[in-house]
Amino acid sequence: MFESSAHLEIKDIDINCDVGEGEGNENKLFPLISSCNIACGGHAGNVDLMRKLVRLSKEHNIKVGAHPSYPDRENFGRISLELPKEEFLGSIRNQLRTMMRILNEEDGELHHIKPHGALYNDIAKDREKAELFLEAISAYRRNTKLFVPYKSIVEEIALSKGWELVREAFGDRNYNDDLSLVSRKDDRALIEVPFMVLDHIVRMVNEHQVKSVTGNLHPMKADTICIHGDTPTALQILEYLSTELSKHQIRITK
C-alpha cells in the first residue's frame, strides 16, 4: 500500500538566479524565485543596475547575494585568469564593497556570496584559488552565507574556517561524473526543457542523487537550486517549477 501524499515530508528548497547580467528579465523572474545573485561589476553589472535589483528584491522578499567574478567583462567571467594575488584580492573586495554600499544605502541585507563562472568552477577544484577567494571574502564570514558546490574543495576549506554553507546544485545544467558542470562548449551543457529540469531537481532534492550526462547516478546534496537568468527558457522553467514542484512534496521557501 502506498503512503498517502498527505503524510509525506515536505522538503523546502531555495531557488536562486544569477541576475544583473544584461538579460533584463528580472521583473519576470523575481516573483518565481526566493534568492538572487547580483553581478557586482566584475563580469557584468553596474551600480545603477545593482541598486535597481536590490530594490526589486525587497519588493519580492528575495534574499540578496553578491555575485563576484574574475574582473573580465570581455569574456563574461567565463575564462580562468591567473592574476597577481593583490590584484585578485583587490578586485573581489571592491566588488563586495560596492554591493555592501548599495545595500546599506537601500536598507538591505547581504544574505550570501556566490562566485561566478570560471571563478566558481576554479575554486571547486583548486585549493590555492579556493584559499585565496576565502581570504578575499573573510570579512563577511560571521554574518553571510556562502554558496558552494557539493563535495568541492572550497566547501571543505570553508567548513574548516567556520563559514555557514549553502550547497548549490544547478537545475538547468548537466553534470559530469566528477560532479563538475558539463562545459558550455558542449551542446549538452544546458537543460532547457522544463519537465527535464523538474526531473533533474526532484532527483537531487528527494533522492539526493544527480544523473550525470553519461547516465550514471552520483550522490548530491542541494540546499539551493540555480536556474540561470540567461538560460533561454529560464522564465518557462521557473513558471513550470512554480506549479509542479509541490506535486513532488517540494516547497520553494523565501
Side-chain angles (χ1 to χ4, degrees):
M1 173 181 265
F2 291 106
E3 183 179 6
S4 168
S5 61
H7 295 94
L8 294 177
E9 178 187 359
I10 302 296
K11 296 181 175 67
D12 292 330
I13 194 73
D14 175 61
I15 299 289
N16 78 77
C17 268
D18 301 340
V19 296
E21 298 178 330
E23 295 299 314
N25 56 359
E26 290 86 1
N27 280 311
K28 295 178 179 178
L29 300 181
F30 273 32
L32 303 168
I33 63 177
S34 46
S35 66
C36 68
N37 321 299
I38 301 177
C40 303
H43 67 290
N46 55 56
V47 169
D48 289 342
L49 182 54
M50 292 165 71
R51 189 181 305 279
K52 174 185 175 182
L53 295 179
V54 165
R55 291 174 177 174
L56 190 64
S57 71
K58 293 180 70 175
E59 290 178 23
H60 292 283
N61 190 31
I62 290 173
K63 300 179 287 288
V64 172
H67 198 37
S69 168
Y70 285 126
D72 184 16
R73 297 175 73 93
E74 181 180 355
N75 297 299
F76 198 67
R78 287 183 172 157
I79 295 178
S80 297
L81 297 183
E82 299 297 332
L83 300 174
K85 177 179 178 179
E86 293 308 316
E87 182 180 345
F88 175 81
L89 292 175
S91 174
I92 299 300
R93 288 169 177 167
N94 283 338
Q95 291 177 59
L96 289 169
R97 277 196 290 265
T98 301
M99 174 60 77
M100 287 305 303
R101 175 170 59 82
I102 293 169
L103 285 167
N104 289 334
E105 291 170 355
E106 298 296 332
D107 195 27
E109 180 179 343
L110 183 64
H111 175 264
H112 64 273
I113 297 169
K114 173 189 169 180
H116 166 80
L119 177 59
Y120 185 98
N121 295 329
D122 285 350
I123 65 175
K125 60 189 178 184
D126 186 311
R127 186 169 296 273
E128 183 177 350
K129 287 188 174 182
E131 291 273 12
L132 194 58
F133 178 72
L134 291 171
E135 180 181 344
I137 65 173
S138 60
Y140 302 88
R141 177 175 57 82
R142 291 188 178 181
N143 302 308
T144 308
K145 298 178 182 181
L146 181 62
F147 280 19
V148 295
Y150 178 58
K151 283 194 172 179
S152 60
I153 292 292
V154 68
E155 175 193 39
E156 173 195 329
I157 299 172
L159 270 176
S160 72
K161 294 180 180 295
W163 278 90
E164 183 175 356
L165 302 183
V166 178
R167 276 83 174 184
E168 180 181 42
F170 293 84
D172 57 356
R173 293 291 302 275
N174 269 314
Y175 282 84
N176 295 307
D177 285 311
D178 64 356
L179 295 187
S180 64
L181 295 175
V182 173
S183 169
R184 286 181 178 270
K185 297 177 182 178
D186 189 318
D187 291 340
R188 303 170 297 173
L190 283 178
I191 306 173
E192 299 184 51
V193 180
F195 80 83
M196 294 177 67
V197 174
L198 176 70
D199 288 348
H200 201 44
I201 292 173
V202 168
R203 183 178 291 109
M204 290 191 285
V205 176
N206 285 348
E207 302 174 23
H208 307 295
Q209 292 183 318
V210 63
K211 182 180 285 187
S212 73
V213 72
T214 60
N216 296 316
L217 292 174
H218 300 277
M220 172 62 75
K221 182 174 181 179
D223 307 306
T224 184
I225 301 289
C226 177
I227 304 296
H228 289 88
D230 61 355
T231 293
T233 56
L235 180 59
Q236 294 94 320
I237 288 170
L238 289 168
E239 289 174 337
Y240 188 74
L241 295 178
S242 70
T243 62
E244 297 300 315
L245 279 174
S246 62
K247 299 175 183 178
H248 298 271
Q249 288 73 51
I250 300 172
R251 175 173 56 197
I252 301 173
T253 55
K254 292 200 176 185

